[in-house]
Amino acid sequence: MAWYRIRALVVKEFLALLRNKASRMVLIGPPLIQLVVFGYAATFNLHHVPIAVYNEDRGGASRQLIARFQGSRYFSLVGMLTSGRRIANIISDKEALMVLRIGPHFSRDLELHRTARIEVLVDGRNSNTGLLALNDVDTVVQSFNAHWAATHGWQTAPAVPIMRAWFNPDLRSRWFIIPGIVGLLTLVVAMLVSGLSVAREREAGTFDQLLVTPLGPWEILLGKALPGFLIGGLEATLIIVVAISWFRVPFMGSVLALYLGLALFLLAAIGVGLAISSASATQQQGLLGVFLFLVPAVILSGFATPIANMPPLVQYLTYLNPLRYFLIILRGVFLQGDGVAILWTQYLPLIGIGLATMTLAMQLFRRRLT
């Protein structure tokens, strides 16, 4: 008899899920979409890494080495520098992930059977990408060495790359990951607090009581948004303090620049959460909506895998992701010492996303009121 009761309950649950068109779409559509997106976006393989070359040598050996980098599927040459002063700017502005610097005596040293050195300057703000790119540099240099040794009778490696990482000299993954965790956990907390607020009222039956109060729609929505701001801000502050004091992640930038970015990021995240909550009838739907947003947001943020290595269509989707901009702000402030004047290009998209999502949440909220 117990088995029959359990079977009847299982049949009822399946009928409840499959009878509703929205439930069928939630069960089938999002997993397929996430499979396609993650299959293309979540990859640690690097292709067409932007690289610049500062060649102080005019000999044939340096041209052969540069040609190997140009012909490699790992790298894409974005510029030939004529001055060493351009190296700092091209890396700081993310125009190139690395700069290959060839000294003035590179070809002469090889012709005289002396080991020649190549200086490789890599952007260490993303330590994972930097390490992968350095491995690809080593592959290209080894290919050059094998060809040069075979044609000129060398028994040892003719060229030796000297690696230097900017902003993260030892390429410590902790310096790259922990600032990202600040954004990740802040997003999770803010989304959970705001994503369940309106749905909780509706499921508990207290939503109608709000309608008879003197509060207007904007006041109710603001009251639902403020707890997310306060809790998200406190959560982020706690993680920042732990990152600096316990994990010893350097903090090189401006506190004002960091917290301005945090406030704008919370505005965008809470707007998304309130929109999901306003469109949900139950807390379960709200949780599912928050989950369906969080997982793609993390994958498409550059937290673990480089955005530049994603397909172009997926890269366009990342522009709608507030976490993408906040991670740039966090790593820029922590590792590079960026201030407000440098980060304004990241603030503007967050303002646009925040205003758009809060407006959408207001529209959905008003529709529920009618």
Side-chain angles (χ1 to χ4, degrees):
M1 294 298 296
W3 165 248
Y4 287 117
R5 289 194 299 269
I6 294 172
R7 187 179 65 178
L9 181 60
V10 170
V11 171
K12 183 189 78 68
E13 290 298 321
F14 271 108
L15 290 175
L17 284 172
L18 299 178
R19 185 181 298 118
N20 190 334
K21 181 180 178 181
S23 297
R24 294 197 301 269
M25 292 299 297
V26 166
L27 289 172
I28 299 172
L32 292 178
I33 295 173
Q34 291 182 10
L35 175 63
V36 173
V37 172
F38 299 161
Y40 285 104
T43 174
F44 287 101
N45 296 324
L46 296 182
H47 301 288
H48 307 295
V49 173
I51 184 173
V53 175
Y54 177 42
N55 185 14
E56 299 178 277
D57 179 78
R58 293 296 179 264
S62 63
R63 290 195 296 269
Q64 290 183 35
L65 178 62
I66 295 171
R68 287 190 175 271
F69 277 93
Q70 288 179 303
S72 170
R73 61 185 177 90
Y74 301 116
F75 299 100
S76 177
L77 185 62
V78 296
M80 295 292 296
L81 306 183
T82 57
S83 171
R85 290 176 293 182
R86 280 278 295 144
I87 295 176
N89 292 335
I90 202 168
I91 293 181
S92 298
D93 297 342
K94 294 182 178 293
E95 296 178 33
L97 179 69
M98 60 175 55
V99 174
L100 187 71
R101 182 172 185 172
I102 302 174
H105 306 303
F106 179 81
S107 295
R108 187 187 68 180
D109 288 340
L110 291 182
E111 292 170 359
L112 296 176
H113 280 242
R114 292 199 297 245
T115 300
R117 294 183 177 183
I118 311 160
E119 189 175 13
V120 182
L121 308 171
V122 64
D123 187 349
R125 286 170 290 189
N126 188 333
S127 59
N128 293 344
T129 304
L131 284 170
L132 292 172
L134 288 177
N135 290 334
D136 294 335
V137 169
D138 192 56
T139 300
V140 175
V141 173
Q142 286 182 13
S143 173
F144 170 81
N145 284 339
H147 179 266
W148 188 272
T151 56
H152 293 79
W154 279 65
Q155 301 298 321
T156 59
V160 177
I162 307 299
M163 314 293 188
R164 291 176 53 197
W166 285 15
F167 311 117
N168 188 355
D170 298 325
L171 286 177
R172 297 180 183 178
S173 59
R174 181 178 293 174
W175 290 13
F176 167 71
I177 292 174
I178 291 180
I181 291 177
V182 177
L184 176 60
L185 295 184
T186 302
L187 178 65
V188 171
V189 171
M191 289 286 294
L192 286 176
V193 172
S194 59
L196 300 179
S197 58
V198 178
R200 187 188 310 112
E201 296 278 0
R202 189 174 294 111
E203 187 174 10
T206 57
F207 185 75
D208 292 337
Q209 297 178 7
L210 291 175
L211 304 182
V212 298
T213 64
L215 296 172
W218 272 108
E219 294 170 320
I220 296 175
L221 201 65
L222 183 61
K224 296 292 184 183
L226 284 177
F229 267 98
L230 296 176
I231 296 174
L234 291 174
E235 181 86 14
T237 300
L238 175 62
I239 302 170
I240 291 168
V241 171
V242 172
I244 297 172
S245 60
W246 180 260
F247 291 104
R248 303 298 180 184
V249 179
F251 186 86
M252 308 296 294
S254 163
V255 175
L256 174 62
L258 176 60
Y259 275 88
L260 177 58
L262 175 62
L264 296 176
F265 174 67
L266 286 173
L267 173 68
I270 290 171
V272 175
L274 287 175
I276 293 173
S277 186
S278 299
S280 304
T282 64
Q283 291 189 74
Q284 185 179 12
Q285 291 181 2
L287 274 174
L288 184 60
V290 168
F291 173 76
L292 292 177
F293 177 83
L294 279 176
V295 177
V298 174
I299 295 294
L300 300 179
S301 65
F303 174 76
T305 57
I307 293 176
N309 201 43
M310 299 177 186
L313 179 60
V314 178
Q315 291 187 39
Y316 292 138
L317 291 177
T318 64
Y319 290 113
L320 302 176
N321 184 7
L323 186 57
R324 168 198 170 120
Y325 304 103
F326 191 46
L327 290 184
I328 296 175
I329 294 171
L330 284 167
R331 288 164 180 158
V333 171
F334 268 90
L335 301 180
Q336 192 175 343
D338 290 345
V340 175
I342 296 176
L343 294 172
W344 67 270
T345 55
Q346 310 304 319
Y347 296 146
L348 290 180
L350 286 177
I351 293 173
I353 295 173
L355 293 177
T357 53
M358 290 298 290
T359 303
L360 176 61
M362 187 70 232
Q363 295 298 324
L364 294 173
F365 188 72
R366 280 177 172 170
R367 184 176 300 174
R368 290 290 184 180
L369 294 178
T370 58

